Amino acid sequence: MNFYCMHQFLIILLFFTIICSAVLAQNPTDTGKILQRVTVTAEKKQNPYTAIVPVQILNHEALQEMNAENIAEASKYFSGVLIKDYGGVGGLKTISVRSLGGLNTGLVYDGITIADAQTGQVDLSKFSTTFIQSLELDLANPQNILAPARVYSSASVLSFTGNSFDALNFVQKKWMAGLNAGSFGLWQPYAGIYFPVSKSMIISANAEATWANGNYPYYINNGMFSQKAYRTNSDIHSFQVEVNTVNRFSDSSTLQTKIWGYSSERGLPGSIIFFNDISVQRLEDKDYFIQSRYLKKFGTGTSLLVSVKYSSMFTRYTDPNFLNNAGGLDDRYTQNEIYGSIAVSHNIGKYFSFSLASDFAYTHLTANINEFATPTRISLWNNLALHFIKSHWQLSASLLNTNINDKTVIGESASNKNKFTPAFEAGYKTSPQSPFLFRFFYKDIFRMPTFNDLYYTYNTNINPKLLPEYSSQYDAGLTYFRNYKSALRQISFSADGYYNYIKDKIIAVPTQNLFIWTMENIGKVQIRGIDINAEANGKFSLKSGWSGRLAFTWQQALDVTDPTSSEYKNEIPYTPNYSGSAMAVYNYKRWSAGYSILFSGKRYALGENDPPNELPGWNTQDGFIGWQINAGDFRTMLKAEVNNIFNEQYDVINYYPMPGRSYKLSITINNL
């Protein structure tokens, strides 16, 4: 950790400590009031600082305070996370956790995985935070033992729970509507309704549309020449809608069904090289899925979870400037998947519990391309998990069996894969009441090459013999959690050191020229790092409160593929040595205000760690102020935001400039 890195971290940590110390010294003067009795029914919230594996959670309130339009923007506030952002509202956004790559992170929406066998990763900008109840990042395995086996098949899991309404209330009607308007032509109307049909059934629906031209200004610096320009082909028009039903039966079992749809048409902004910003590539998406989860509890010791899903993804990619005999590209892909899962959990005595889960997925990809392989993949996952909890100890172990079978209409298909991958987790407290928890986990996992890795038509050297990419993870950490009865109500802290090793890493290698590539297993990567997280909140009085959070990551991700190579032990591309975030929010009566910082150290755009490939570090600072108006049975929330206050000019991906300073106004009306 270099001096500049440590310097920035210490400043933020000192700021965080001063706030906590100041409020501890306060003696809040609360006035006594007689309040009307209110009965609240809700599910118990998980405390991430008592989990035996690293867990980070953002609730709905925190998501709205972060000026985050989608889950990609919100995920930047997690430690260990890198969001590859190609700029603007319409730019694609993918996630990598602890430098394991975006294809090793599973995405789970309301308990069921969202998968893309074609590319292996999902564009996170498709999912708005407006109607998200919570966003959670789990390293290793999920904390809930009753889960589909497929959830265990990723190195990390980013999961989010939809619908910000209380699904346990089957009586009260609720609604919400609002509008966001901001810089670069942003207009974002949204609305949602929660309607109890009977005492045992509710229906909720929400929708959100986004329009933006994305023509933000940026500066080109090329040696002694500089130029101000405006981003082009960065517009987006999108629409997202979902309908949910919840049925609660007389035996207390529940059935949840979700229908979700997304449609967008956007430009893909090009790279800026030698003042050239021409880009005519367009991307059209039409995705939808329908999924259901049935949960039944038999007494106090046995539970059954059945999950089913059908999804369809249509992608149209056009590039009129592509050099071919057809005068450009107009590629259209349709991916359909049928998925099912059965999971059972059971308690054995007082201290032990186990779960068994078996999943099946049938995935088929078609395209309008000549000689396209038209692959079909049948995937089976079977998982056994064991838990032990007694006094000072928490132990967990799992064994996942994955079976992948590919078939193609044209050409050779990849060979079948049948692998067993274990995981082990442990947590220890010196006493049941101790605020400290020591934890450790180990997980071995692999990812199957994607359809694009194996069968992408424009790779002249298609390689169906690609091996899976294997990852081993080791983590050891310490957490602290304690409640107080003062202006500081709660403080939490965690520090985790980790080591990851990747072998048979799948990379793209140019062959004849930069336009002809082949996919090969030649990569080995060693990753070492430290993640630090801290949260605190409290109240000065009944009318005012505050909260703060800090996330920091130091890491070193090195290419150890070939000791004779000039790139041996060089940092892999786009892995900063340090990154993090800090945020503080203050509430007073109906007013709220917040300030947040995102920062990243230097990194390299290529595997060769030469000065021309080095990208400088950056930091952005955002602020907001909000005001709530209560009128009768509904409330109105007005909010003003300033993002990138100091107009930082930076690239997350080389030659793809990010937006500078921007503004947004929003109004939300609801009866929640």
Side-chain angles (χ1 to χ4, degrees):
M1 190 181 299
N2 60 38
F3 174 77
Y4 180 69
C5 158
M6 179 65 77
H7 178 68
Q8 277 208 349
F9 172 66
L10 288 177
I11 290 176
I12 295 173
L13 184 61
L14 179 62
F15 172 73
F16 191 83
T17 305
I18 291 173
I19 292 178
C20 296
S21 301
V23 297
L24 275 171
Q26 302 260 351
N27 292 316
T29 57
D30 296 346
T31 57
K33 293 184 179 180
I34 300 176
L35 302 177
Q36 182 179 358
R37 181 177 179 180
V38 177
T39 302
V40 179
T41 303
E43 296 181 349
K44 184 179 180 180
K45 294 182 179 180
Q46 177 186 1
N47 184 349
Y49 292 92
T50 60
I52 59 176
V53 297
V55 179
Q56 301 177 63
I57 298 177
L58 297 172
N59 59 24
H60 179 74
E61 182 181 20
L63 290 172
Q64 299 308 304
E65 293 170 346
M66 286 178 173
N67 300 358
E69 296 176 357
N70 50 61
I71 64 171
E73 297 292 332
S75 298
K76 295 178 181 179
Y77 288 85
F78 289 143
S79 64
V81 165
L82 170 66
I83 298 294
K84 288 190 175 181
D85 194 330
Y86 291 83
V89 178
L92 301 178
K93 297 169 176 62
T94 59
I95 185 173
S96 175
V97 180
R98 291 186 171 181
S99 298
L100 291 173
L103 288 78
N104 282 296
T105 301
L107 190 66
V108 176
Y109 191 11
D110 279 350
I112 300 180
T113 302
I114 297 173
D116 184 345
Q118 180 184 357
T119 66
Q121 51 190 341
V122 179
D123 177 17
L124 300 184
S125 67
K126 293 180 179 180
F127 301 95
S128 169
T129 57
T130 303
F131 296 97
I132 297 300
Q133 180 69 21
S134 66
L135 180 66
E136 178 176 330
L137 178 65
D138 292 84
L139 274 298
N141 291 334
Q143 294 306 291
N144 187 357
I145 190 173
L146 186 62
R150 193 178 194 175
V151 178
Y152 288 80
S153 65
S154 300
S156 59
V157 177
L158 181 68
S159 59
F160 50 105
T161 304
N163 202 332
S164 59
F165 306 121
D166 181 7
L168 297 177
N169 188 334
F170 285 79
V171 179
Q172 184 180 358
K173 297 178 183 178
K174 300 180 181 180
W175 55 267
M176 179 170 68
L179 173 67
N180 299 325
S183 302
F184 322 130
L186 174 65
W187 292 94
Q188 199 171 50
Y190 54 88
I193 187 170
Y194 173 99
F195 188 78
V197 177
S198 66
K199 293 182 179 179
S200 60
M201 180 179 179
I202 58 173
I203 296 177
S204 65
N206 58 68
E208 181 175 282
T210 301
W211 294 273
N213 56 40
N215 60 347
Y216 53 88
Y218 65 94
Y219 294 89
I220 304 175
N221 294 310
N222 186 20
M224 61 183 297
F225 300 101
S226 62
Q227 175 181 318
K228 181 181 179 180
Y230 287 87
R231 205 68 166 110
T232 60
N233 200 43
S234 187
D235 61 294
I236 185 172
H237 308 278
S238 68
F239 181 71
Q240 175 183 325
V241 62
E242 69 175 58
V243 178
N244 301 278
T245 64
V246 179
N247 294 80
R248 179 180 292 168
F249 302 104
S250 57
D251 60 355
S252 297
S253 61
T254 57
L255 175 66
Q256 298 173 306
T257 300
K258 176 185 291 292
I259 302 174
W260 180 90
Y262 174 85
S263 176
S264 72
E265 201 278 330
R266 73 180 85 181
L268 296 178
S271 58
I272 310 299
I273 302 177
F274 297 117
F275 302 99
N276 181 8
D277 63 346
I278 296 175
S279 175
V280 293
Q281 300 169 342
R282 307 290 296 181
L283 184 66
E284 180 181 347
D285 291 305
K286 292 182 179 178
D287 304 343
Y288 70 89
F289 65 74
I290 178 171
Q291 67 182 39
S292 290
R293 299 174 75 240
Y294 174 77
L295 177 62
K296 166 69 175 175
K297 294 184 178 180
F298 301 90
T300 59
T302 305
S303 298
L304 169 69
L305 176 65
V306 180
S307 308
V308 294
K309 181 176 183 177
Y310 171 76
S311 62
S312 178
M313 298 180 179
F314 170 80
T315 302
R316 181 185 182 187
Y317 171 77
T318 59
D319 184 0
N321 288 350
F322 189 83
L323 300 177
N324 59 5
N325 294 331
L329 291 181
D330 187 356
D331 294 348
R332 307 180 188 193
Y333 301 89
T334 301
Q335 182 181 172
N336 296 301
E337 182 175 278
I338 299 172
Y339 168 79
S341 171
I342 298 177
V344 178
S345 66
H346 180 70
N347 296 334
I348 306 174
K350 187 176 180 181
Y351 306 115
F352 288 92
S353 61
F354 78 92
S355 69
L356 286 170
S358 183
D359 295 16
F360 164 86
Y362 173 90
T363 311
H364 184 62
L365 179 66
T366 61
N368 66 333
I369 301 172
N370 292 332
E371 302 298 317
F372 185 67
T374 312
T376 298
R377 175 170 293 177
I378 296 177
S379 307
L380 299 172
W381 299 272
N382 295 283
N383 189 75
L384 170 64
L386 299 172
H387 283 206
F388 171 81
I389 301 176
K390 182 182 179 182
S391 184
H392 311 288
W393 286 97
Q394 297 182 58
L395 302 175
S396 181
S398 66
L399 182 64
L400 173 69
N401 172 247
T402 304
N403 189 290
I404 308 292
N405 187 331
D406 278 11
K407 298 295 182 184
T408 56
V409 175
I410 298 176
E412 183 182 359
S413 63
S415 60
N416 295 348
K417 302 295 187 298
N418 185 29
K419 303 293 181 181
F420 287 88
T421 49
F424 174 76
E425 307 153 15
Y428 174 76
K429 282 190 171 186
T430 55
S431 68
Q433 294 76 31
S434 173
F436 291 99
L437 170 69
F438 300 91
R439 61 190 183 189
F440 167 84
F441 83 77
Y442 160 77
K443 183 170 185 177
D444 211 12
I445 205 66
F446 83 99
R447 79 160 183 91
M448 184 68 181
T450 68
F451 284 162
N452 278 1
D453 291 338
L454 295 166
Y455 314 115
Y456 188 56
T457 303
Y458 300 107
N459 292 337
T460 58
N461 297 323
I462 296 175
N463 188 1
K465 296 182 180 180
L466 277 175
L467 298 173
E469 185 176 294
Y470 292 88
S471 302
S472 296
Q473 303 177 79
Y474 302 84
D475 179 285
L478 169 70
T479 72
Y480 175 87
F481 171 77
R482 187 172 179 182
N483 293 315
Y484 295 88
K485 296 181 179 180
S486 63
L488 175 63
R489 300 297 175 89
Q490 190 177 91
I491 187 167
S492 311
F493 174 84
S494 69
D496 287 88
Y498 58 87
Y499 172 81
N500 301 330
Y501 178 74
I502 306 174
K503 68 175 182 178
D504 293 330
K505 186 171 179 63
I506 301 171
I507 63 173
V509 179
T511 53
Q512 300 176 27
N513 55 53
L514 291 177
F515 298 97
I516 301 178
W517 297 71
T518 185
M519 310 303 294
E520 297 182 3
N521 293 106
I522 64 172
K524 296 179 182 179
V525 177
Q526 288 182 347
I527 305 163
R528 296 177 176 86
I530 300 172
D531 283 349
I532 296 175
N533 292 277
E535 294 184 40
N537 64 76
K539 285 182 174 294
F540 294 120
S541 67
L542 289 176
K543 298 179 180 179
S544 66
W546 62 274
S547 64
R549 60 183 297 120
L550 166 72
F552 180 83
T553 295
W554 174 86
Q555 67 175 349
Q556 186 180 62
L558 303 180
D559 181 352
V560 293
T561 302
D562 182 4
T564 64
S565 170
S566 61
E567 297 181 12
Y568 183 66
K569 289 197 173 180
N570 279 3
E571 297 177 13
I572 64 175
Y574 296 110
T575 55
N577 288 126
Y578 70 93
S579 60
S581 65
M583 183 174 183
V585 176
Y586 177 73
N587 298 282
Y588 178 73
K589 294 184 178 179
R590 298 177 183 176
W591 289 89
S592 61
Y595 196 85
S596 61
I597 302 172
L598 288 167
F599 60 91
S600 173
K602 68 177 181 66
R603 61 260 185 246
Y604 294 93
L606 297 175
E608 297 179 353
N609 292 175
D610 298 328
N613 297 326
E614 183 179 307
L615 299 178
W618 55 268
N619 76 83
T620 61
Q621 302 178 44
D622 305 335
F624 81 88
I625 185 169
W627 182 42
Q628 180 176 291
I629 306 171
N630 297 328
D633 295 332
F634 65 90
R635 285 163 290 280
T636 301
M637 183 68 183
L638 303 175
K639 185 180 179 183
E641 305 174 10
V642 182
N643 298 310
N644 197 352
I645 295 173
F646 298 102
N647 200 31
E648 177 88 352
Q649 302 295 306
Y650 68 104
D651 295 1
V652 174
I653 303 298
N654 200 22
Y655 304 126
Y656 286 84
M658 295 292 291
R661 185 186 300 112
S662 64
Y663 306 91
K664 187 168 72 173
L665 297 174
S666 63
I667 179 172
T668 302
I669 305 174
N670 64 71
N671 74 331
L672 302 181

